[in-house]
Amino acid sequence: MFKTVTIIGDGGMGSVCAMLLCENGVRTTLWGHEAAYVAEMTGKRENVRFLPGYPLPDSLRLEADDVRAFDQAELVVSAVPCQFLRKTWQRLAEYIPPGVPVVSVTKGIEIGSLQRPTEILRQVLGADRPYAVLSGPTIADELAQRLPATATVACEDIELACAIQQTFNTTMFRVYTHDDCVGVELAGAMKNVIAIAAGAIDGIGAGDNAKAALLCRGLAEIQRLGVAMGAREKTFTGLSGLGDLVTTCISPMGRNRSFGERLGRGMTADDALATTQSVVEGVPTCKAVLELAQRHHVEMPITEAIYAVIHGHKDIRGAIADLMGRELKGEF
């Protein structure tokens, strides 16, 4: 178990990770890139922008200084949105102590490079330190309320996975270990695209039958691409796969589902994005996933349909009609 942890990224997930760690008696530092906002959080003891209504622990140290952020850190948690990950770590790379493990809680795929978060981290910080992934059905508001939840920590080094498991596990947050980093990261990224589709179904009132079909066929798409990229098929039926997909597609607090619902109610993608300060990772991820699907020759009709809707090429009802009208075939 790690005793001193630094979290990079003061969004909702970074903040709730800090709450979990402080509950376990871990000496925790939360770093934010904007000094004025870090000062505001320090004064109010609340992340009013990304996790309002939940007090930050008194023991939590808030920091904007790049050097002091890593003071005595034994483990670093990377909680930066995927499209900002590279730039943030290029800024901080010289300050992180050599050899300190990094566990990523970021869900997404970088536009352009098509890299997963740990691939970006490895490229920026070097391959001479261990990397892990913590992912699962983890809506930040529910974790902050101390409602029961589970997640998976994946790492090729099972001893490190167990140490991270012990560091994060609480009476209301149960953590499992895994060794399929590729599958866990891909599942966490791609489910956000399917969640946009689920929200669109809610927005037009297409019903629960349609949403159930979407989750099943969406999971099939995620699994096809994941296996083609070297992940294990079984990973996608676990917490980081099916579990995260279900939560993201049904929770009214999910950013991606809510964005899709606004699309279904007739808003443009730009207008729907403008209604939230948080990053809707499914939007850039959708483009990246399609490029990966083309690279690996994998068919992903739902992802293609959502991309067309986001970019104004189709409306929701037209996209559904196209999906329902595809050539008939066996389920498996």
Side-chain angles (χ1 to χ4, degrees):
M1 180 173 177
F2 295 98
K3 297 297 185 183
T4 307
V5 175
T6 291
I7 300 170
I8 301 300
D10 60 1
M13 194 60 192
S15 295
V16 85
C17 283
M19 293 176 183
L20 293 169
L21 293 171
C22 288
E23 181 181 339
N24 274 354
V26 177
R27 182 178 179 270
T28 307
T29 298
L30 179 65
W31 176 92
H33 75 283
E34 186 182 335
Y37 186 61
V38 171
E40 181 181 344
M41 284 195 295
T42 301
K44 295 181 177 179
R45 301 309 297 179
E46 181 183 350
N47 190 338
V48 295
R49 185 182 295 173
F50 298 114
L51 197 64
Y54 303 103
L56 295 171
D58 292 337
S59 62
L60 176 63
R61 177 172 162 249
L62 294 155
E63 188 59 76
D65 184 272
D66 297 354
V67 179
R68 292 198 300 266
F70 296 102
D71 182 35
Q72 299 180 36
E74 299 173 350
L75 174 71
V76 171
V77 178
S78 179
V80 180
C82 192
Q83 307 310 319
F84 302 97
L85 189 61
R86 186 180 300 276
K87 184 177 180 180
T88 299
W89 278 107
Q90 285 173 339
R91 166 180 166 176
L92 298 173
E94 64 181 295
Y95 306 116
I96 183 172
V100 170
V102 178
V103 55
S104 171
V105 296
T106 299
K107 297 176 181 179
I109 297 170
E110 187 179 43
I111 292 292
S113 74
L114 304 185
Q115 289 183 325
R116 307 185 318 272
T118 56
E119 290 179 309
I120 300 168
L121 290 168
R122 186 172 280 108
Q123 192 173 73
V124 175
L125 301 179
D128 56 347
R129 74 174 72 244
Y131 298 92
V133 182
L134 180 65
S135 187
T138 50
I139 295 290
D141 291 77
E142 293 191 6
L143 291 176
Q145 293 175 54
R146 297 191 80 256
L147 297 176
T150 54
T152 295
V153 56
C155 183
E156 295 174 359
D157 180 346
I158 195 63
E159 290 186 8
L160 176 58
C162 289
I164 296 171
Q165 175 189 45
Q166 293 166 1
T167 302
F168 275 91
N169 197 82
T170 74
T171 56
M172 287 295 169
F173 186 59
R174 183 172 174 81
V175 182
Y176 292 82
T177 59
H178 205 327
D179 61 358
D180 183 10
C181 291
V182 175
V184 169
E185 278 195 300
L186 287 175
M190 291 190 282
K191 57 90 184 180
N192 284 330
V193 179
I194 305 303
I196 293 175
I201 283 175
D202 290 339
I204 65 170
D208 293 336
N209 290 337
K211 184 178 271 191
L214 172 75
L215 264 67
C216 288
R217 300 312 303 164
L219 182 61
E221 286 194 13
I222 292 171
Q223 198 170 53
R224 279 199 299 270
L225 181 57
V227 170
M229 292 180 64
R232 292 206 296 276
E233 185 174 0
K234 193 172 183 179
T235 299
F236 299 96
T237 60
L239 289 171
S240 60
L242 178 60
D244 202 4
L245 177 66
V246 170
T247 293
T248 310
C249 288
I250 66 173
S251 172
M253 294 178 285
R255 297 187 300 269
N256 294 279
R257 194 213 63 83
S258 298
F259 168 78
E261 184 172 4
R262 291 191 286 272
L263 292 180
R265 290 178 176 172
M267 294 180 70
T268 66
D270 287 343
D271 289 343
L273 287 171
T275 64
T276 178
Q277 293 189 71
S278 298
V279 175
V280 182
E281 284 283 9
V283 174
T285 297
C286 187
K287 182 178 188 299
V289 168
L290 280 183
E291 291 184 29
L292 285 171
Q294 291 167 4
R295 177 183 293 179
H296 293 276
H297 308 291
V298 173
E299 189 178 29
M300 302 190 74
I302 296 173
T303 304
E304 290 175 4
I306 288 303
Y307 181 84
V309 169
I310 289 172
H311 293 279
H313 304 150
K314 291 181 183 178
D315 62 19
I316 300 293
R317 295 185 187 279
I320 291 175
D322 287 349
L323 289 169
M324 295 296 286
R326 295 177 71 242
E327 182 182 353
L328 296 175
K329 59 183 180 179
E331 183 177 7
F332 297 107

